[in-house]
């Protein structure tokens, strides 16, 4: 079984309604659904959360006025090709724009795809030279595309080059491969993920507990057993995971797979993704509900990437207020603290 890459293949699998706008959606962004993900789709469920992430929808042709071509301002912060340098101590390095699957909500929707600009050998050298010349860069985040789409030999070479830069303390890899194409997590890949000196962290992108198939959990276990610390990133997506039970199940499943939930990303203002958007108020209400239900180990930080290249910030909810006078009794100048169960309390400043 191969990765499905065309509307025709999706029709054959019974995954698509007939809609002329789908051709436009498929033109705007490549299609890829791995056999692993295809096997998880419940065709009897028109709202299947796996299909919703990967099967193109006519809704993608609806572009809202506030949606952006470069939703998180990568371009504005790219000093050399393949590098995004927004925070002093860390950079993104994007060696390629290919992914094992194409997620319809992708924040780099306008960039990813087969044939999308990969760095040539000399461009990669220039990107590494940029890092080498800046001692303030402590962490290099390999992203893309999906860096695990590089052949293990090339990935090993890249990691060795970063490992040789004394001021680089951490290499972080952002990938969806262990979940969507777990057979790529081979011994050869694990060997490539072993810098001699730097710490290597692995951030895995997972949006629904059902993505954690037996094979995916085995791939994560291989990474964890190789001594690689795993963190999880989830995109908050309408119709995929915007219910508290769904998020709770996902966060527990991640922790059980030895993945520490790191970020819950508020969906970015990506063109043609209005059908995935969730309001900030809804996101905060979900986070508040999780706080009352879940172990601290399973709590992600809810973040927004501020459009224009201004970086990520936690967006709550906040538990401190300014109006303790609403409570009986008196404690002058006190703060109001809300607990995880909705109770309100005074606390001295
Ligand atoms: C997301 C991002 C990072 C990493 O941010 P953390 O908060 O450290 O996870 C770094 N640089 C850029 C440009 C980013 O978009
Ligand atoms: S794997 Fe990541 S970069 Fe690739 S399409 Fe999905 S969200 Fe975008």
């Amino acid at each position: 079984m191969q990765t499905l890459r065309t509307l025709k293949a999706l029709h054959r699998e019974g995954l698509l309604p007939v809609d002329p706008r789908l051709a436009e959606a498929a033109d705007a962004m490549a299609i890829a659904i791995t056999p692993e993900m295809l096997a998880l789709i419940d065709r009897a469920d028109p709202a299947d959360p796996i299909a919703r992430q990967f099967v193109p929808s006519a809704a993608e042709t609806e572009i809202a006025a506030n949606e952006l071509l470069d939703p998180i301002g990568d371009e504005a912060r790219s000093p050399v090709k393949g590098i995004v340098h927004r925070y002093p101590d860390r950079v993104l390095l994007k060696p390629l724009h290919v992914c094992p699957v194409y997620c319809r909500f992708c924040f780099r929707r306008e960039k990813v795809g087969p044939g999308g600009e990969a760095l040539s050998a000399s461009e990669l050298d220039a990107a590494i030279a940029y890092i080498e010349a800046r001692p303030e860069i402590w962490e290099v985040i390999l992203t893309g595309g999906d860096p695990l789409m590089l052949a293990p030999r090339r990935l090993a070479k890249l990691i060795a080059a970063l490992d040789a830069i004394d001021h680089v303390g951490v290499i972080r890899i952002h990938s969806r491969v262990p979940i969507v194409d777990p057979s790529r997590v081979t011994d050869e890949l694990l060997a490539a993920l072993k810098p001699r000196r730097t710490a290597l962290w692995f951030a895995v992108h997972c949006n629904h507990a059902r993505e954690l198939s037996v094979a995916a959990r085995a791939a994560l276990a291989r990474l964890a057993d190789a001594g690689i610390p795993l963190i999880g990133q989830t995109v908050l997506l309408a119709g995929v995971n915007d219910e508290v039970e769904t998020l709770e199940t996902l966060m527990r499943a991640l922790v059980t797979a030895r993945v520490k939930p790191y970020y819950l990303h508020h969906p970015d203002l990506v063109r043609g993704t209005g059908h995935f958007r969730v309001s900030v108020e809804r996101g905060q209400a979900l986070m508040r509900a999780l706080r009352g239900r879940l172990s601290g180990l399973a709590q992600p930080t809810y973040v927004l990437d501020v459009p224009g290249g201004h970086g990520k910030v936690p967006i709550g909810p906040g538990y401190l207020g300014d109006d303790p006078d609403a409570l009986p009794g008196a404690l002058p100048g006190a703060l109001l603290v809300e607990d995880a169960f909705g109770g309100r309390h005074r606390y001295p400043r």
Side-chain angles (χ1 to χ4, degrees):
M1 186 87 210
Q2 291 193 330
T3 294
L4 304 180
R5 297 192 182 276
T6 60
L7 287 176
K8 211 163 140 190
L10 299 187
H11 276 301
R12 204 166 52 228
E13 290 290 337
L15 289 172
L16 280 179
V18 176
D19 188 318
R21 289 179 301 167
L22 284 171
E24 194 185 321
D27 277 348
M29 188 195 197
I31 295 169
I33 308 180
T34 53
E36 193 69 40
M37 289 296 104
L38 181 67
L40 296 179
I41 294 175
D42 174 3
R43 288 174 177 70
D45 178 4
D48 181 84
I50 310 292
R52 190 167 164 79
Q53 294 182 66
F54 306 117
V55 175
S57 143
E60 292 169 36
T61 62
E62 292 157 23
I63 316 275
N66 63 0
E67 292 174 344
L68 307 166
L69 272 169
D70 182 13
I72 62 170
D74 277 353
E75 296 293 330
R77 305 282 169 157
S78 182
V80 294
K81 197 169 167 189
I83 294 271
V84 184
H85 196 178
R86 174 182 293 151
Y87 305 101
D89 75 325
R90 56 205 189 277
V91 292
L92 305 185
L93 172 52
K94 302 186 284 182
L96 81 180
H97 283 116
V98 178
C99 301
V101 286
Y102 291 108
C103 314
R104 309 316 298 176
F105 51 85
C106 177
F107 66 123
R108 297 215 178 90
R109 211 187 133 85
E110 314 287 335
K111 290 276 179 199
V112 296
E117 28 163 342
L119 296 188
S120 67
S122 62
E123 286 166 342
L124 191 57
D125 286 347
I128 292 168
Y130 177 89
I131 296 166
E132 208 162 12
R134 287 170 180 75
E136 68 275 22
I137 299 175
W138 171 78
E139 180 178 12
V140 178
I141 301 166
L142 298 180
T143 179
D146 195 313
L148 263 57
M149 295 302 277
L150 289 171
R153 186 179 36 82
R154 288 185 60 200
L155 187 61
K157 224 178 125 195
L158 173 56
I159 288 174
L162 297 171
D163 198 33
I165 303 172
D166 277 344
H167 57 262
V168 173
V170 176
I171 300 170
R172 190 198 317 176
I173 293 188
H174 279 238
S175 174
R176 204 141 159 60
V177 158
I179 308 279
V180 301
D181 196 359
S183 64
R184 279 181 182 270
V185 184
T186 57
D187 289 345
E188 197 189 359
L189 176 73
L190 293 175
L193 299 180
K194 278 224 170 302
R196 282 188 305 111
R197 186 189 51 84
T198 41
L200 185 137
W201 285 65
F202 197 104
V204 61
H205 171 179
C206 182
N207 300 325
H208 195 283
R210 271 186 40 216
E211 292 171 30
L212 292 161
S213 64
V214 172
R217 281 180 282 133
L220 292 171
R222 284 200 293 281
L223 290 161
D225 288 346
I228 300 169
L230 303 174
I231 59 175
Q233 317 190 76
T234 298
V235 185
L236 180 60
L237 296 166
V240 175
N241 58 21
D242 62 335
E243 295 294 337
V244 66
E245 290 75 16
T246 311
L247 284 175
E248 177 181 353
T249 307
L250 169 61
M251 298 307 158
R252 286 193 201 282
L254 286 170
V255 174
T256 310
R258 288 183 277 170
V259 179
K260 165 75 186 88
Y262 177 56
Y263 280 160
L264 176 68
H265 295 273
H266 187 74
D268 294 314
L269 292 171
V270 184
R271 281 154 52 95
T273 62
H275 53 303
F276 287 116
R277 205 139 308 132
V278 178
S279 71
V280 172
E281 287 74 16
R282 173 82 184 139
Q284 290 180 332
L286 289 167
M287 285 299 297
R288 195 177 281 280
L290 288 183
R291 179 55 64 181
R293 288 176 176 228
L294 272 180
S295 157
L297 268 184
Q299 301 284 344
T301 302
Y302 179 37
V303 292
L304 171 73
D305 214 315
V306 183
H310 303 291
K312 295 177 190 70
V313 283
I315 52 169
Y319 294 88
L320 285 180
D322 269 329
D323 186 21
D325 296 342
L327 299 177
L331 183 57
L335 291 167
L336 182 78
V337 184
E338 200 167 328
D339 65 42
F341 309 98
R344 307 172 95 207
H345 317 274
R346 277 206 187 85
Y347 193 83
R349 267 176 210 270

